[in-house]
Amino acid sequence: MKIGIVCYPTFGGSGVVATELGLELSRRGHEIHFITYSQPVRLELLSNNVHYHEVNVPEYPLFLYQPYELALSSKLVDMVKLHGIEVLHVHYAIPHAYAAYMAKKMLQEEGIYVPIVTTLHGTDITLVGSHPFYKPAVTFSINKSDAVTSVSESLKEDTLRLFDIKKEINVVPNFIDLEKHEPHFTDCQRAMMATDEEKIITHISNFRKVKQIPDVIKVFNAVQKQLPAKLMMVGEGPERESAELLCEKLGITDKVVFLGNSNEIDKILCFSDLFLLPSLTESFGLSALEAMASGVPVISSNTGGIPEVNVNGVSGYLSDINDIEDMSKNAIHILSDKARLSEFKSNAKKVASRFDIHAIVPQYEAIYEDTLKKCLIL
Ligand code: GMT
């Protein structure tokens, strides 16, 4: 199949899922066309069946806001015609599902029928999409998609609660390439970051408010009072500066390393003992799954889709949002006993294997085939 994938190319779960999906589909023999405004961060290798088409939005002084949706829908029309793309799979409803619907309608005028598959990722529904300014357009474009998928049961429920949805929503969970998370280095250079006695705790995100960055620091602060530990803060975003200030205030700057965005997540997870994800909301928690696949147990909040990924008492622990005390207690419980830590590490890996890429990607293929069949009948 020739599949067009639209996503956000920056660091962030939806772009990562879209990129890994495209790469796996290409390995399974499909021709993949990524259509977005810059090359997706995890798309390192372009090959004869992986292509990248950049959407350019020319600056024009009359516009206070440059019309990205317009440029995207025009690009989609051009790429479908030029490359014979058969299915468009858009990740994150805003504005991708809307732009894809416009492209579909333009193509129909020329007798070309391309089904649209929309994958809902989280904030496109829970935070941004349900805002009254966007809601009618988001509802419309979800209902007009030929197939809709959501990354967790919880996100499906949220979507049905927040929007008037007439379409069936298929839950296709996010996935992980377990082989990629099998440490291939003989030495993950742990010694660079901590002494043998120190436990390494890690947080990876885009440092937005929803990630509750102060809670990450507060939990770590409580843990390091009980046992020697270091905190790795990976990512960039609006909350980074205040996080650094909080570390200064708590007098723990020498124990916290801010690493910025990284393409070496596997290396960082390889030397991590525990992962923190105390988010306010999380449709799935891909970073938690990535940690678990690398054998890192997770201390998280029990919000949204996280309980579908992190199994309480098995791959880590779940606590109520903002319950710093409970999260710290659980973290210390796991870290303070060598045998217990190693059991949680191996459990984390086992739970992660439920989301193996080889089991999940065929579900998307089946959806593409189904929409194509329905499209031919019409
Ligand atoms: O979580 C983020 O900040 C990024 C965001 C995105 O759209 O890229 O992530 C959402 O999609 C991920 C992939 O499906 C999910 O794993 C995240 O849980 C979800 N984020 C939220 O719901 C806050």
Side-chain angles (χ1 to χ4, degrees):
M1 253 180 279
K2 294 187 180 186
I3 304 156
I5 294 187
V6 180
C7 64
Y8 282 105
T10 46
F11 288 88
S14 63
V16 168
V17 169
T19 309
E20 300 288 355
L21 171 64
L23 292 174
E24 177 61 13
L25 287 166
S26 77
R27 288 190 283 270
R28 294 170 72 88
H30 301 285
E31 184 178 304
I32 304 302
H33 295 263
F34 287 98
I35 304 157
T36 181
Y37 58 79
S38 69
Q39 186 157 324
V41 285
R42 290 217 187 158
L43 188 62
E44 282 147 9
L45 284 177
L46 294 172
S47 64
N48 60 346
N49 59 352
V50 180
H51 308 266
Y52 159 60
H53 312 289
E54 190 161 304
V55 181
N56 290 302
V57 188
E59 291 273 326
Y60 187 64
L62 177 69
F63 301 142
L64 178 57
Y65 307 105
Q66 306 303 318
Y68 179 66
E69 294 90 303
L70 217 60
L72 175 60
S73 51
S74 295
K75 188 80 181 183
L76 291 176
V77 169
D78 289 346
M79 293 305 103
V80 167
K81 281 161 64 179
L82 187 65
H83 299 285
I85 292 171
E86 296 157 280
V87 181
L88 283 173
H89 187 175
V90 302
H91 291 260
Y92 208 87
I94 308 168
H96 301 150
Y98 193 73
Y101 176 72
M102 288 314 297
K104 177 178 160 167
K105 283 297 176 197
M106 285 186 262
L107 287 160
Q108 261 176 21
E109 293 288 309
E110 299 185 45
I112 302 169
Y113 295 89
V114 183
I116 311 291
V117 178
T118 297
T119 291
L120 310 172
H121 277 276
T123 43
D124 47 351
I125 296 302
T126 51
L127 290 183
V128 196
S130 53
H131 190 284
F133 291 174
Y134 298 121
K135 202 169 173 173
V138 174
T139 310
F140 174 83
S141 36
I142 293 175
N143 281 328
K144 289 292 177 186
S145 299
D146 295 276
V148 182
T149 75
S150 84
V151 298
S152 62
E153 285 293 342
S154 151
L155 182 60
K156 176 178 173 174
E157 280 159 28
D158 284 341
T159 311
L160 296 175
R161 181 173 45 81
L162 294 165
F163 297 86
D164 182 13
I165 298 300
K166 310 266 186 287
K167 259 314 333 140
E168 190 195 338
I169 300 179
N170 300 285
V171 175
V172 181
N174 288 333
F175 51 83
I176 196 88
D177 188 343
L178 293 163
E179 277 154 39
K180 260 196 193 164
H181 286 265
E182 208 44 63
H184 45 271
F185 354 85
T186 45
D187 169 21
C188 56
Q189 293 169 324
R190 188 184 197 280
M192 254 173 40
M193 293 300 175
T195 62
D196 284 352
E197 295 71 43
E198 284 170 327
K199 293 288 181 271
I200 299 186
I201 302 179
T202 298
H203 171 78
I204 306 175
S205 78
N206 50 20
F207 285 53
R208 284 183 294 132
K209 271 237 164 334
V210 70
K211 303 293 171 184
Q212 306 265 69
I213 300 295
D215 286 9
V216 174
I217 312 265
K218 288 178 199 164
V219 170
F220 172 73
N221 187 37
V223 173
Q224 64 83 34
K225 285 180 183 160
Q226 301 298 320
L227 46 89
K230 280 269 172 69
L231 175 64
M232 305 291 133
M233 296 291 278
V234 186
E236 284 294 343
E239 295 287 294
R240 175 170 169 169
E241 207 180 310
S242 51
E244 294 195 56
L245 289 174
L246 180 58
C247 292
E248 217 173 288
K249 198 175 144 203
L250 296 170
I252 52 171
T253 38
D254 56 329
K255 293 181 179 164
V256 185
V257 187
F258 286 84
L259 290 162
N261 282 331
S262 173
N263 275 325
E264 294 193 304
I265 298 297
D266 51 346
K267 209 171 205 176
I268 297 165
L269 290 173
C270 166
F271 56 59
S272 300
D273 296 300
L274 195 71
F275 189 82
L276 297 181
L277 191 66
S279 304
L280 200 57
T281 168
E282 203 70 65
S283 68
F284 185 88
L286 184 66
S287 58
L289 177 60
E290 289 191 328
M292 287 158 54
S294 294
V296 184
V298 174
I299 295 293
S300 68
S301 48
N302 55 12
T303 180
I306 303 182
E308 294 171 49
V309 181
N310 183 20
V311 181
N312 195 39
V314 179
S315 56
Y317 283 106
L318 299 157
S319 305
D320 289 341
I321 295 165
N322 287 140
D323 195 341
I324 312 284
E325 208 185 310
D326 196 52
M327 290 185 204
S328 315
K329 187 191 85 205
N330 292 335
I332 294 163
H333 175 72
I334 293 180
L335 293 174
S336 58
D337 183 280
K338 215 172 163 190
R340 195 182 296 135
L341 175 59
S342 101
E343 195 186 335
F344 269 93
K345 283 189 174 197
S346 105
N347 285 348
K349 260 190 162 187
K350 271 188 218 141
V351 175
S353 67
R354 296 177 192 167
F355 301 91
D356 183 9
I357 192 167
H358 304 296
I360 310 291
V361 171
Q363 298 180 32
Y364 279 120
E365 284 177 309
I367 290 170
Y368 301 152
E369 273 156 23
D370 192 50
T371 55
L372 265 173
K373 256 188 236 146
K374 284 184 185 146
C375 195
L376 290 176
I377 295 166
L378 294 173

